[in-house]
Amino acid sequence: EKPVEGTVVAVGNGKLLDDGGRRALEVKAGDRVLFSKYSASEIKLNGEEHLILKEEDILGVVEK
């Protein structure tokens, strides 16, 4: 399967580490990213479809 391209709408607080700290995310809202078609969970919010991914499921950020 070819990777899918999408735009990041929102991000969380980062990955929770074993020591209780958080690792900052490398992606931010507005980034264009590539991800595997089957790595995302689909949800519907206010009539719009969105995908939820883990950062490690992102294959890369598309440079403009």
Side-chain angles (χ1 to χ4, degrees):
E1 290 283 330
K2 291 173 74 173
V4 179
E5 185 174 333
T7 302
V8 177
V9 177
V11 297
N13 295 327
K15 182 175 176 80
L16 185 60
L17 303 173
D18 291 336
D19 66 3
R22 292 211 179 256
R23 183 179 59 80
L25 297 173
E26 297 289 324
V27 296
K28 60 189 177 307
D31 283 350
R32 302 272 313 156
V33 296
L34 294 174
F35 57 93
S36 175
K37 182 177 182 176
Y38 300 108
S39 63
S41 298
E42 297 179 20
I43 63 164
K44 194 174 239 184
L45 281 174
N46 301 323
E48 290 186 45
E49 290 190 19
H50 295 276
L51 301 173
I52 297 177
L53 310 160
K54 293 180 183 177
E55 186 180 41
E56 52 262 15
D57 292 333
I58 295 173
L59 302 173
V61 176
V62 178
E63 298 284 326
K64 295 178 184 170

